[in-house]
Amino acid sequence: MVFITGDCHGNFRRFNLRYFPEQNVMDRNDYMIICGDFGGVWADTPEETYWLDWLERRPFTTLFIDGNHENFERLNSFPVHSWHGGSVHQIRPHVLHLMRGQFYDIDGKNFFTMGGAKSHDIEDGILNPEDPDFLTKQRELKRAGKHRFRILGQTWWPEELPSDEEYLTTLKRLDQANWKTDYVITHCAPSSVALVINHNHDVDALSDFLEMIDRRLNYSYWFFGHYHDNRDIDGKHLLLWEQIVQLL
């Protein structure tokens, strides 16, 4: 069995038995996929450890791609393993980060993953804590009622968007796969799809890259999160948030 859901932001209560009773008949060879903004690898606190251990105790295996709201410094510090044909960060034995530009064979189906997204809640700026005027700037923003800012290395990381190397590696793997897969899992959407969701969305390098992939790739369904809604966009692109959908 394979299920898929949207952004968690460190809140995993939807996987409680009360809300997800299907896990009663699941085991480690059954999977829950999270479409980014996992948020469970953030500040290395006792609370975070509790919830990661709690996820590890679920009967299924948890898989997630990265979104933009992740601590990439911590996430990239976990060991990399080969798993079902692709590379993963092993957070716990059964809590795995599906890395960017990878293909995985799961229950006879092929999954292509591409995490990352541009944050759309940073219009008040990115503050650098090493800036001598950091505290003054932070106070001025708060005094002006501006709270949509983030702090470099604490609440925002530039690695939210792929590097040139990651783009090139992804293209290489797509060529090796002959541009074919069953399912695509991303955090943000291709540019044209994002504009259907909201015509005011700003497109960016990653959404344009995904747009190119969308036009070339032979696939069945594309699942993504990021936009905090549950919508079937066009029968092929499915936006997920709290909803849990069974694939297999």
Side-chain angles (χ1 to χ4, degrees):
M1 302 166 69
V2 178
F3 292 84
I4 187 166
T5 189
D7 307 21
C8 290
H9 295 283
N11 184 343
F12 306 114
R13 291 178 177 83
R14 76 185 70 172
F15 307 130
N16 191 293
L17 184 61
R18 175 182 177 183
Y19 306 113
F20 184 54
E22 291 87 346
Q23 64 190 283
N24 271 322
V25 293
M26 297 175 73
D27 61 28
R28 295 304 192 184
N29 294 315
D30 299 312
Y31 306 97
M32 175 63 70
I33 303 174
I34 300 169
C35 292
D37 279 358
F38 173 69
V41 177
W42 191 261
D44 197 18
T45 61
E47 181 181 10
E48 179 176 286
T49 298
Y50 169 84
W51 282 108
L52 288 173
D53 291 342
W54 184 88
L55 275 180
E56 175 63 21
R57 292 195 300 271
R58 299 304 92 193
F60 50 85
T61 295
T62 299
L63 310 173
F64 69 94
I65 64 167
D66 54 275
N68 51 298
H69 291 153
E70 317 283 2
N71 181 335
F72 288 96
E73 184 176 350
R74 283 204 68 220
L75 185 59
N76 292 329
S77 71
F78 283 87
V80 176
H81 295 275
S82 294
W83 183 86
H84 287 239
S87 297
V88 299
H89 284 117
Q90 186 183 81
I91 313 303
R92 294 290 187 275
H94 301 96
V95 179
L96 306 175
H97 169 223
L98 306 179
M99 297 172 68
R100 296 174 179 176
Q102 302 290 309
F103 286 85
Y104 304 92
D105 185 348
I106 302 174
D107 286 350
K109 296 293 184 178
N110 195 256
F111 290 74
F112 168 69
T113 60
M114 189 66 185
K118 184 177 181 180
S119 292
H120 48 230
D121 55 358
I122 56 173
E123 58 264 38
D124 294 328
I126 304 294
L127 300 184
N128 188 339
E130 296 185 1
D131 183 342
D133 297 323
F134 167 72
L135 292 177
T136 300
K137 292 178 179 178
Q138 187 179 45
R139 282 194 298 268
E140 288 176 349
L141 284 170
K142 291 181 177 179
R143 190 179 300 117
K146 297 181 177 181
H147 301 285
R148 289 171 68 84
F149 65 88
R150 289 187 172 262
I151 300 173
L152 177 65
Q154 296 181 19
T155 59
W156 182 86
W157 288 262
E159 292 87 352
E160 65 175 27
L161 288 174
S163 65
D164 290 343
E165 182 180 356
E166 285 176 313
Y167 283 129
L168 291 173
T169 298
T170 299
L171 290 173
K172 180 179 179 180
R173 292 199 173 103
L174 285 163
D175 285 339
Q176 292 170 343
N178 295 316
W179 291 81
K180 293 180 181 179
T181 192
D182 293 301
Y183 299 110
V184 179
I185 313 295
T186 64
H187 186 55
C188 67
S191 292
S192 63
V193 178
L195 291 171
V196 169
I197 298 167
N198 185 336
H199 69 275
N200 291 318
H201 274 310
D202 291 330
V203 299
D204 54 72
L206 178 54
S207 66
D208 284 347
F209 182 73
L210 296 177
E211 180 73 17
M212 178 274 295
I213 291 175
D214 195 14
R215 295 179 180 182
R216 291 187 61 185
L217 187 64
N218 182 358
Y219 67 92
S220 297
Y221 293 101
W222 187 309
F223 295 91
F224 60 99
H226 191 47
Y227 306 97
H228 290 193
D229 200 356
N230 300 288
R231 289 177 59 183
D232 181 344
I233 305 300
D234 55 13
K236 199 167 187 177
H237 300 87
L238 292 99
L239 165 59
L240 294 175
W241 188 13
E242 311 102 330
Q243 187 175 1
I244 296 175
V245 174
Q246 183 171 3
L247 298 186
L248 304 173

